[in-house]
Amino acid sequence: MAKETVARETMTRETLARKKMTRETLSILGATGSVGSSTLAIVEQQTERFEIVALTAQNNATQLADLCRRFKPQFAAIGNETQFPKLKEALQGCDIELAAGTEGLIEAATRPAARIMAAISGFAGLAPSLAAVKQGSIVMLANKECLVSAGALFMATAAQAKCRMLPVDSEHNAIYQILDGRPLSDIKRLILTASGGPFRHFTQAELAKVTVPMATKHPIWPMGAKISIDSATLMNKGLELIEAQYLFAQPPACLDVLVHPQSIIHGLVYLHDGAVLAQMATPDMRIPIAYCLGWPHRLPTDCAPLDLEHIGKLEFEAPDIARFPCLQLAKTAMQLGGGAPTILNAANEIAVAAFQAEKIGFMQIPVLVGTVLDKLPQLIGTANGAVDSIEQVLALDSEARRIAEEEVAKLG
C-alpha cells in the first residue's frame, strides 16, 4: 500500500512537472496599455497555461515594475531611456534582465516566445513588431500602424518567416474568425463596423468646439487617448480599412465601413453566393484577446454573454464623410497605395498630438492631414510601387512629420 502511495505521489509530481514545462511562453510588447493590461488580466486567470518571457512599456516605469514583480518575466524593457534608472531601482534585487530604448524593445521582441502580443501603440511599434514577426512565432497584432505604414513589407516579412499573424482589433479579429480558413476567393466584400464615435450627431459648429477631454471619452470602448481621438474623427476606422487590405489581401473596392452604434456586430463578410456572415459579441476587448491567446482553441473568459433580448434592436447607418473627412482621407490614401498610407499615418499622429497639446482644434486634424497629403505628391507618386524596405518607410515617415509640424505652426 505504501509503495502504491509513493508511486501515485511520484506520478503526480511528474504530471505537474510536465504541465509546468509545457506552459506556453508569452511576451507582451506594450504591457501597460489597455490591450496589454487586458492581456495580463486573462493571463492571471490562466497561470497554469502561460509563462511570461518579456514585458515592455514606453514611459510608465512604475507600472512596468509592478507588473514585473507580479508576473516575473525573464526580461523587461522601457522605451523611454530617461525612465530606465527608475525601473532599475524599483526592480533592484529581482532576477530580471533590464534594457531601455528602441533597442531594448527590439530585444524584448526577439526573445524566444511561442506567442508575442504586439501592442505598442503608434509608429513607435513598427520596429519591435517587425522584429517579433521575423521570429516566426505567433504574433498577435494590436498595432494597426505597422500595416498602415509598412503593410507590404510587414506581410512579406511574415510570409518569409512563416509567422502566424492573429489580428487583435475586434473588427479584424471578427473577420478572421468568420473566414476560419475559408478561401479568400469566396469573398465579395468585407465590412468593418464602427460605433460612430461620440460626435456622430454633432453639427459642424459643435464639432469645432470639441475639446480634448470630450474626444478622449469613447462611448463604447475604454481605450487610450490617441486611439480614442482617432475613433472620434473616424480616422481609426480608415486606418483599419488599410490594415484589412493587407491582412485579408483584398482590393480597396471590396472594403467598406458601416456605422453600428451598439458595437455588437464587429465584422461582416459578404460571399459571392449572396450569403452574409457576421461575428457578434459584447464590446469587450478581452474576447478577441482571449481568442488570440488560445488559438486554435478557445479560452474561457468572464466576459458578459450577449443578451440580444435585452438589446432589442441593432442599428446601422452609412458613415457621414462630410462630417468626418478623415475617413475619406484614409480611403484616398488606401486607393493611392505605395507610400500614401505611410504619409497619412505620420501626418495624423502629428495632428492628434497637436490637438492634445491644444495647438489646433478638433476639425483642424483632417485639414492638417489633407494638407500634408497634398504637399507630397512627388513622394506619393514615386512610392506607388511597394515600399519594400524599412529605410524607405522611415524616410517617408520622417519627411511627412517634418511637413506636418510646419503646418501645425501655421494653423496654430
Side-chain angles (χ1 to χ4, degrees):
M1 189 71 173
K3 287 183 179 180
E4 290 178 0
T5 302
V6 171
R8 282 198 299 271
E9 288 177 351
T10 302
M11 288 176 65
T12 300
R13 285 195 298 270
E14 289 175 351
T15 301
L16 290 172
R18 280 197 299 272
K19 283 186 177 180
K20 188 174 182 180
M21 288 175 62
T22 57
R23 283 201 305 167
E24 197 166 26
T25 50
L26 169 67
S27 292
I28 303 174
L29 312 179
T32 59
S34 59
V35 171
S37 298
S38 294
T39 304
L40 287 169
I42 295 170
V43 167
E44 207 155 29
Q45 296 173 350
Q46 304 277 341
T47 52
E48 76 290 346
R49 185 183 180 100
F50 296 105
E51 176 187 349
I52 302 297
V53 173
L55 296 176
T56 81
Q58 182 59 33
N59 293 301
N60 199 330
T62 300
Q63 189 178 349
L64 180 59
D66 290 343
L67 293 176
C68 286
R69 283 189 289 268
R70 277 171 57 196
F71 293 95
K72 298 178 174 54
Q74 302 167 16
F75 183 88
I78 187 88
N80 185 342
E81 295 184 24
T82 65
Q83 295 297 306
F84 183 68
K86 183 185 292 186
L87 179 67
K88 189 175 180 180
E89 182 180 359
L91 292 175
Q92 192 171 9
C94 296
D95 187 22
I96 300 173
E97 292 182 63
L98 303 176
T102 300
E103 292 304 313
L105 300 179
I106 292 173
E107 168 68 12
T110 56
R111 289 293 174 111
R115 295 178 194 250
I116 302 173
M117 174 61 77
I120 298 174
S121 63
F123 187 78
L126 175 59
S129 299
L130 197 58
V133 164
K134 288 178 181 177
Q135 274 205 75
S137 305
I138 294 174
V139 172
M140 302 169 285
L141 189 63
N143 175 304
K144 61 179 63 65
E145 290 83 0
C146 290
L147 291 177
V148 173
S149 298
L153 171 65
F154 208 83
M155 296 306 290
T157 303
Q160 186 176 8
K162 296 181 179 178
C163 168
R164 167 70 67 171
M165 200 180 312
L166 302 176
V168 175
D169 272 351
S170 61
E171 297 81 4
H172 304 93
N173 187 271
I175 290 172
Y176 192 94
Q177 291 188 50
I178 294 168
L179 294 176
D180 193 25
R182 184 185 303 278
L184 295 179
S185 58
D186 285 354
I187 299 172
K188 185 175 182 179
R189 292 176 73 208
L190 298 181
I191 304 295
L192 306 180
T193 59
S195 71
F199 312 129
R200 67 188 180 94
H201 294 308
F202 273 38
T203 65
Q204 292 290 341
E206 289 171 329
L207 287 169
K209 297 177 182 178
V210 166
T211 64
V212 175
M214 290 166 65
T216 51
K217 188 176 181 181
H218 195 277
I220 301 292
W221 300 94
M223 302 181 294
K226 197 268 181 182
I227 191 172
S228 294
I229 295 169
D230 282 346
S231 294
T233 64
L234 289 195
M235 178 61 86
N236 186 56
K237 207 52 53 178
L239 298 178
E240 288 179 358
L241 282 177
I242 299 170
E243 185 181 8
Q245 178 188 20
Y246 289 109
L247 280 172
F248 306 112
Q250 296 298 304
C254 293
L255 300 165
D256 212 344
V257 170
L258 184 65
V259 173
H260 169 45
Q262 292 89 357
S263 294
I264 297 300
I265 294 177
H266 302 287
L268 295 156
V269 176
Y270 285 65
L271 303 178
H272 285 294
D273 63 3
V276 181
L277 307 180
Q279 190 267 353
M280 306 171 71
T282 51
D284 190 325
M285 277 304 297
R286 290 176 298 169
I287 295 174
I289 290 170
Y291 176 85
C292 292
L293 285 171
W295 183 91
H297 308 292
R298 295 268 180 172
L299 294 184
T301 73
D302 58 3
C303 298
L306 191 60
D307 186 348
L308 290 175
E309 182 181 357
H310 174 73
I311 294 166
K313 64 179 181 178
L314 301 177
E315 301 169 298
F316 304 94
E317 62 188 59
D320 188 335
I321 298 296
R323 189 181 280 126
F324 300 104
C326 279
L327 180 56
Q328 184 57 55
L329 288 170
K331 286 184 174 183
T332 299
M334 179 171 65
Q335 289 159 357
L336 287 169
T342 310
I343 296 165
L344 174 89
N345 181 71
N348 182 63
E349 288 196 6
I350 295 299
V352 170
F355 169 66
Q356 288 178 282
E358 299 183 348
K359 294 180 180 179
I360 65 173
F362 181 75
M363 289 307 291
Q364 288 179 305
I365 293 174
V367 172
L368 190 149
V369 174
T371 300
V372 175
L373 282 173
D374 289 342
K375 279 185 172 272
L376 295 174
Q378 70 280 8
L379 287 176
I380 294 173
T382 57
N384 272 340
V387 179
D388 54 9
S389 74
I390 190 68
E391 291 77 19
Q392 281 181 291
V393 173
L394 292 173
L396 204 54
D397 175 85
S398 177
E399 182 65 3
R401 287 173 191 272
R402 182 187 68 78
I403 293 178
E405 291 284 11
E406 291 178 355
E407 291 304 315
V408 168
K410 293 177 184 177
L411 290 172

